[in-house]
Amino acid sequence: MPPYTPVLLQHVNLPVPKGTLHLAQEFYGEVIGFENDAVPQLQKDILLWFRIGDGPQQIHVAFENISPESKTISSRHPCFQLSSPEALLSLQKRIYEHKKTGVESSAMECDQPGGENSGSKGVEYPTRFFVRDYAGNRLEFSAPK
């Protein structure tokens, strides 16, 4: 591998509407279970950083001029791998139950536990499910077979 080839995905930035960081904290922090990392002092009210596992990978959630009512649906997404199919199902149930509460931070969409995933089908795809967070960001969660 050439020395200039990236060796790690450090972070993915997900946009959310202004004024919804508290919803991001609830969804990504409390429901999914990501831990917070410190953000630069001058940006503490406009973004959140969440650590994936023991790091160093992160999810950054920041304001962007989008609206939850927007009709634009993007297929761009990060994929988070869990340790096992059992852990994957546990998280899927957790997100799905949170969605059913209807609170403002709940997912707009979530594949139903035990149902078919909403992504492409085929034997080459791992065990997985998809979610659209409260801001419409598409998230994929997978586990090794």
Side-chain angles (χ1 to χ4, degrees):
M1 174 169 44
Y4 53 79
T5 302
V7 296
L8 176 75
L9 178 63
Q10 198 278 329
H11 76 268
V12 171
N13 189 74
L14 298 173
V16 299
K18 287 183 179 177
T20 67
L21 286 183
H22 65 289
L23 301 178
Q25 181 61 51
E26 185 175 325
F27 184 77
Y28 289 96
E30 295 172 28
V31 176
I32 295 177
F34 288 143
E35 296 289 329
N36 289 91
D37 276 343
V39 300
Q41 185 63 30
L42 294 176
Q43 296 177 309
K44 70 180 182 120
D45 294 327
I46 62 170
L47 63 88
L48 292 171
W49 288 354
F50 295 97
R51 182 176 51 261
I52 301 171
D54 292 330
Q57 295 94 357
Q58 297 175 327
I59 291 297
H60 293 184
V61 177
F63 294 148
E64 187 171 90
N65 291 328
I66 62 169
S67 165
E69 295 81 33
S70 173
K71 300 297 182 216
T72 304
I73 301 293
S74 173
S75 62
R76 292 175 298 188
H77 65 278
C79 179
F80 304 99
Q81 183 172 321
L82 280 77
S83 59
S84 68
E86 296 78 22
L88 182 71
L89 181 59
S90 178
L91 178 61
Q92 185 176 17
K93 287 177 180 176
R94 184 172 173 79
I95 293 172
Y96 192 77
E97 289 301 315
H98 185 253
K99 178 189 181 316
K100 288 183 0 184
T101 67
V103 296
E104 203 174 0
S105 66
S106 65
M108 294 174 130
E109 299 172 7
C110 178
D111 292 344
Q112 187 170 356
E116 228 179 277
N117 78 69
S118 58
S120 299
K121 311 296 183 271
V123 296
E124 51 281 320
Y125 291 106
T127 304
R128 64 186 181 164
F129 72 94
F130 291 88
V131 171
R132 283 208 185 267
D133 73 7
Y134 73 92
N137 292 302
R138 189 174 196 218
L139 309 173
E140 179 180 355
F141 297 90
S142 69
K145 291 182 179 184

